[in-house]
Amino acid sequence: MSGPLTARCHPLGAHRVLEPAGAMPQDAWRIDNTPVAGPNELLCEVDALNIDSASFKQLCDTCGRDPQRIAQRVLEIVSERGKQHNPVTGSGGMFVGRVLAIGDELRAAIDLRAGERIASLVSLTLTPLQIEAIRDVDLRTGRIRVRGKAILFESGLWTRLPGDIDESVALAVLDVAGAPAQVARLASPGATVVVVGADGKSGLLACAQAKARTAPHGRVIGLVPGDSTPGARLLRRERFVDHLVVADARDALEASQRVLAGAPALADLVVNCVNVPGTELASILCARDGGTVYFFSMCTSFTAAALGAEGAGRDVTMIIGNGYVKGHAETALQMLRDYPALHEYFNATFATRTRP
Ligand code: NAP
């Protein structure tokens, strides 16, 4: 793309794909990140990136948890690909920022004005991004404060940041909003639900949602690698789980046996919320024949899940964790209002004292 855009752009962003030919922005190796909005695009000033947990863990592992090296690696990825698309995990995250410009054609069609603060609800793996500088990397939360610009396509989902929730907290929750929204659809009254990786962001929201949906006779079992984390304590204190199992989900037999020891039966629904690879089989082994396994984790391998279920003779429905569920942003944010202890936990963990 060169010079100002005047022609209508492809609503899904296909016009910004540079290589390979025929790809769409998400699966493209490189996209055009020119920070100029076409007639049906949005241009935003970006303050912060929320790197998804699988990607951030990989960056931390390869950069020795050194914030400067992580910042350098993110700059390399974005300058090479035009987007924050981790080439190892294939995952991204989302951004928060301020609307700088709305293309002429889009202005009348959407309820948004330049200057408003929004969060993107589409992955950074398909979002044209230019970073001028990285201000800091928060190792605890995976949040990276930047000075940069991003484009949202006509199809790109966004949400206005809520006035009653800290911006960094909202960002952390919105990143995983698909998990509780999908659990709300899948968990039914009386069901047994297992949440693998229960004390992380998506796991906590999934447990609280499962507990509400399966009440009063359902059972929610959380699986965590250790039970002394603040998240694990919250799960027990607020009774978001009936039972907390400590196990390494990469050890399929041991983990599933420990879960089954605390469950009345195999689970109707298993929700996988971990940020490490190799946990597909443990999840499958916790599900009953005819049950459902919802793989929200970005570390999920299609091959491992498909062949693992076949090898174990488990006739389960496996769902890929679509990050988008209608109304997911509002569902997830509303949970913070409905569960003060959850809100308090997210505030203590993710709220920032310094606003971007
Ligand atoms: P998170 O807050 O980092 O939580 C990850 C959880 O996995 C933690 O509870 C962690 O336990 C647990 N865990 C790690 N290793 C484990 C093991 N060996 N056995 C059992 N549990 C283990 O991550 P998140 O933000 O909730 O994200 C969860 C996953 O969803 C990630 O893979 C992320 O990339 C993905 N994601 C998917 C979408 C989507 O659209 N589908 C969107 C955003 C994120 P400890 O904390 O105790 O170590």
Side-chain angles (χ1 to χ4, degrees):
M1 222 168 69
S2 60
L5 276 170
T6 47
R8 191 164 195 280
C9 307
H10 192 282
L12 299 176
H15 59 289
R16 285 200 179 246
V17 170
L18 295 177
E19 61 173 299
M24 291 299 281
Q26 203 286 325
D27 62 346
W29 174 254
R30 194 158 69 92
I31 60 176
D32 183 338
N33 58 0
T34 306
V36 177
N40 52 338
E41 290 181 330
L42 272 182
L43 173 67
C44 296
E45 183 179 58
V46 178
D47 303 316
L49 306 177
N50 192 71
I51 304 293
D52 96 282
S53 179
S55 173
F56 195 69
K57 182 174 186 315
Q58 190 275 334
L59 290 169
C60 282
D61 289 350
T62 53
C63 299
R65 290 187 68 78
D66 176 349
Q68 281 187 347
R69 284 176 63 198
I70 293 171
Q72 188 51 40
R73 183 67 195 123
V74 167
L75 286 172
E76 281 165 14
I77 292 172
V78 173
S79 72
E80 194 178 347
R81 307 195 67 173
K83 54 180 179 170
Q84 174 47 35
H85 189 166
N86 184 322
V88 179
T89 61
S91 55
M94 49 180 292
F95 75 79
V96 286
R98 190 180 303 282
V99 178
L100 278 182
I102 306 174
D104 291 343
E105 284 188 24
L106 214 49
R107 208 170 299 137
I110 59 173
D111 170 28
L112 189 66
R113 297 288 161 261
E116 291 196 82
R117 293 190 64 72
I118 62 167
S120 62
L121 291 176
V122 285
S123 173
L124 289 174
T125 63
L126 57 85
T127 303
L129 175 68
Q130 237 182 42
I131 298 182
E132 289 148 35
I134 292 193
R135 292 165 164 180
D136 60 56
V137 174
D138 185 342
L139 290 179
R140 211 167 41 92
T141 61
R143 200 181 67 116
I144 301 187
R145 291 202 311 144
V146 302
R147 208 172 59 234
K149 294 196 175 69
I151 292 284
L152 286 176
F153 309 131
E154 184 180 337
S155 59
L157 302 165
W158 51 268
T159 187
R160 218 172 250 110
L161 286 161
D164 60 335
I165 294 172
D166 176 275
E167 223 174 86
S168 297
V169 170
L171 183 61
V173 168
L174 289 169
D175 179 40
V176 296
Q182 193 63 258
V183 169
R185 272 188 191 171
L186 297 172
S188 45
T192 296
V193 179
V194 171
V195 178
V196 184
D199 65 347
K201 294 190 287 295
S202 55
L204 288 167
L205 291 163
C207 287
Q209 187 66 244
K211 193 67 191 150
R213 295 284 161 168
T214 59
H217 302 300
R219 204 167 162 79
V220 178
I221 294 146
L223 191 153
V224 289
D227 64 355
S228 57
T229 62
R233 287 199 292 273
L234 175 75
L235 286 170
R236 272 198 301 251
R237 198 174 60 241
E238 294 302 309
R239 299 184 192 282
F240 291 150
V241 291
D242 296 286
H243 189 47
L244 200 59
V245 174
V246 177
D248 181 342
R250 290 168 298 189
D251 184 340
L253 285 182
E254 178 70 19
S256 58
Q257 274 162 16
R258 286 194 190 182
V259 167
L260 295 181
L266 286 164
D268 302 290
L269 172 65
V270 179
V271 185
N272 184 311
C273 294
V274 303
N275 60 351
V276 294
T279 66
E280 295 83 356
L281 195 56
S283 305
I284 290 163
L285 292 180
C286 289
R288 67 168 169 81
D289 251 354
T292 299
V293 185
Y294 173 54
F295 285 111
F296 187 69
S297 169
M298 284 291 165
C299 300
T300 306
S301 151
F302 176 87
T303 322
L307 300 181
E310 180 191 77
R314 215 39 82 83
D315 181 358
V316 291
T317 299
M318 296 191 279
I319 301 180
I320 291 178
N322 182 350
Y324 175 56
V325 179
K326 276 202 176 86
H328 65 333
E330 205 33 56
T331 299
L333 293 173
Q334 188 57 36
M335 288 185 72
L336 296 183
R337 301 181 185 110
D338 294 344
Y339 298 96
L342 196 59
H343 199 164
E344 210 174 288
Y345 168 85
F346 271 89
N347 274 340
T349 314
F350 297 101
T352 37
R353 277 146 216 100
T354 47
R355 278 174 69 90

